[in-house]
Amino acid sequence: MTEDAAPPAPAPQPRNPLHGLTLEAIVRALEAEYGWAGLNERIPLRCFGQDPSVGSSLKFLRKTPWAREKVESLYLFMLRDQRRQSQGAAPR
């Protein structure tokens, strides 16, 4: 193998709703939906409850895999809930 060979391109993930999203985009969407107090109720973390900011949350979540998984799970729940609400509001 030569040094000039590029690594293979990552496989597309059309069924993964987190693919292509940054952690910052996820945190901002959750904060817009629930607010900091609502986030802290759902996932009690100091970065959401005490002097919350996107920057401090990102710093903590990048270092703490278990907390990041909880945030990503809440984001997926939020997407499902929004989809359910929009389907329920549309006439059939």
Side-chain angles (χ1 to χ4, degrees), residues 6 74 88:
L74 180 60

Side-chain angles (χ1 to χ4, degrees), residues 32-52:
E33 179 75 15
Y34 302 117
W36 292 115
L39 267 174
N40 192 46
E41 286 175 16
R42 289 164 177 80
I43 307 172
L45 297 173
R46 187 178 299 172
C47 66
F48 295 154
Q50 294 180 352
D51 195 25

Side-chain angles (χ1 to χ4, degrees), residues 15-77:
R15 307 279 299 163
N16 182 355
L18 296 176
H19 183 70
L21 279 177
T22 63
L23 184 57
E24 180 177 1
I26 292 170
V27 170
R28 287 187 185 276
L30 289 171
E31 191 272 328
E33 179 75 15
Y34 302 117
W36 292 115
L39 267 174
N40 192 46
E41 286 175 16
R42 289 164 177 80
I43 307 172
L45 297 173
R46 187 178 299 172
C47 66
F48 295 154
Q50 294 180 352
D51 195 25
S53 71
V54 173
S56 67
S57 299
L58 292 174
K59 187 175 181 180
F60 176 75
L61 294 170
R62 287 181 179 133
K63 293 180 181 178
T64 317
W66 62 264
R68 182 180 181 143
E69 288 176 22
K70 287 180 179 271
V71 167
E72 289 173 345
S73 294
L74 180 60
Y75 180 77
L76 294 173
F77 173 81

Side-chain angles (χ1 to χ4, degrees), residues 33-34 73-92:
E33 179 75 15
Y34 302 117
S73 294
L74 180 60
Y75 180 77
L76 294 173
F77 173 81
M78 180 189 77
L79 291 179
R80 284 191 303 269
D81 196 41
Q82 288 174 343
R83 203 169 25 240
R84 268 189 237 117
Q85 289 177 2
S86 69
Q87 289 175 351
R92 291 184 184 186

